[in-house]
Amino acid sequence: MSEALLSVTAQEAGSAQAAVPVSGARQFWRRLRAQRAAMAAVGVVALLVLIALAAPLLVALEGQDPNSFHPALVDSAAGGAPLGPFGGISAEHWLGVEPQTGRDLFARVVYGARVSLGVALFATVLQVFIGVVIGLAAGLGSRRVDQVLSRITDVNVAMPLMVIALALLAIVPAEFPRPVLIALVVGLINWAGTSKIVRAQTLTLKSLDYVSAARLSGWGKWRIARRELLPSLAAPVITYTALLLPQNIVVEAALSFLGVGIKPPTPSWGQMLTDADVWYQAAPSYLLIPALLLFVTVLALTVLGEGVRTALDPRSQSRLGGARRAFLSRRKKDGAQ
């Protein structure tokens, strides 16, 4: 992420922190509910999470499992293309079957949701935790500590995530659980953005009167951080976290697509896209279903992140709403001409 984008995000997060008190959860929820796009995104994300959590129940309801082969359901003479219309959709296989193997596509999709969402969530929590700790340490520490941690953060910003992830995932033994490994790699490499935002906000907050009063009363730095700073940092951190989730889903899918992510037989949407690149003509549903799910998930999380940002900062105009109004204004002006 570029320095300019980090600066803009920090400014937005800082204004959000100033706009919402710690006890304003009810106000935040009311502002979020006022945004129809954000509430639609909440519904989509909640449905996806429910599907991921209920994957064993849904698969049992269908009567299939994600790893059983059904060679009778594919046409070996046609290279393994699924028999039947629309990729082999039937009452027994709700989304059809996988080419060559005949594995149930619905079962693999819902279990793939577990992997994609779980990896993204674990990686996001890890990188936010590391970023908050390092950002607080840099903001509250001495000048030397701040300089050292800031240089480490700058080095981390300059590290190419995908290149390093490809290298690490290629050399780690295959016995190590791949979803955990991907989450660890992404979380341990991509924490610098959170750290920069937290450091900038900490430097601003520690000059305020209530923090100075706590320092004069004899409180230690970490007690001040826990009791005074962390509640005030909640808004910018939540805002940035909501933007990290869709990024991490895309990273996991990209790594699986490049062949170094989730390994078979564990299902993953990115891995399914990798296997489907030669089947888009013979079995288009095998490509379209995971691609559509990835698109919907990332779009819903992005819109939700925008809604969270706007709800935390009611003084700022929603970028989505502003773009819509600008578009309608241009259309009205063009029509008048």
Side-chain angles (χ1 to χ4, degrees), residues 176-191:
F176 196 93
R178 221 61 180 181
V180 177
L181 178 60
I182 293 176
L184 287 174
V185 169
V186 175
L188 293 173
I189 293 175
N190 205 24
W191 50 263

Side-chain angles (χ1 to χ4, degrees), residues 292-317:
L292 180 62
L293 285 170
L294 271 173
F295 172 76
V296 170
T297 303
V298 172
L299 177 63
L301 287 170
T302 303
V303 172
L304 179 58
E306 167 67 18
V308 168
R309 185 194 67 83
T310 306
L312 288 171
D313 184 10
R315 296 174 301 180
S316 78
Q317 184 183 38

Side-chain angles (χ1 to χ4, degrees), residues 141-227:
S142 63
R143 178 175 298 182
R144 183 179 297 275
V145 171
D146 185 19
Q147 289 178 347
V148 171
L149 293 178
S150 295
R151 298 296 80 76
I152 293 174
T153 304
D154 291 338
V155 171
N156 187 271
V157 170
M159 293 170 65
L161 171 62
M162 293 300 295
V163 174
I164 295 176
L166 286 170
L168 291 175
L169 292 170
I171 62 176
V172 173
E175 293 77 17
F176 196 93
R178 221 61 180 181
V180 177
L181 178 60
I182 293 176
L184 287 174
V185 169
V186 175
L188 293 173
I189 293 175
N190 205 24
W191 50 263
T194 309
S195 175
K196 281 182 170 290
I197 290 174
V198 171
R199 174 186 175 274
Q201 293 302 308
T202 301
L203 291 174
T204 301
L205 291 170
K206 76 176 187 178
S207 63
L208 299 181
D209 292 341
Y210 69 93
V211 178
S212 300
R215 188 185 305 112
L216 291 173
S217 65
W219 287 15
K221 291 182 179 180
W222 291 108
R223 187 179 181 187
I224 293 174
R226 186 177 70 254
R227 298 287 296 275

Side-chain angles (χ1 to χ4, degrees), residues 62 89-94:
E62 188 197 24
I89 292 178
S90 64
E92 292 79 22
H93 302 278
W94 297 347

Side-chain angles (χ1 to χ4, degrees), residues 10 13 20 23 28 39 69 87 133 141 199 206 273 295 308 321 331:
V20 181
S23 60
F28 164 75
M39 292 310 297
F69 286 45
V133 171
R199 174 186 175 274
K206 76 176 187 178
L273 288 175
F295 172 76
V308 168
R331 285 191 60 183

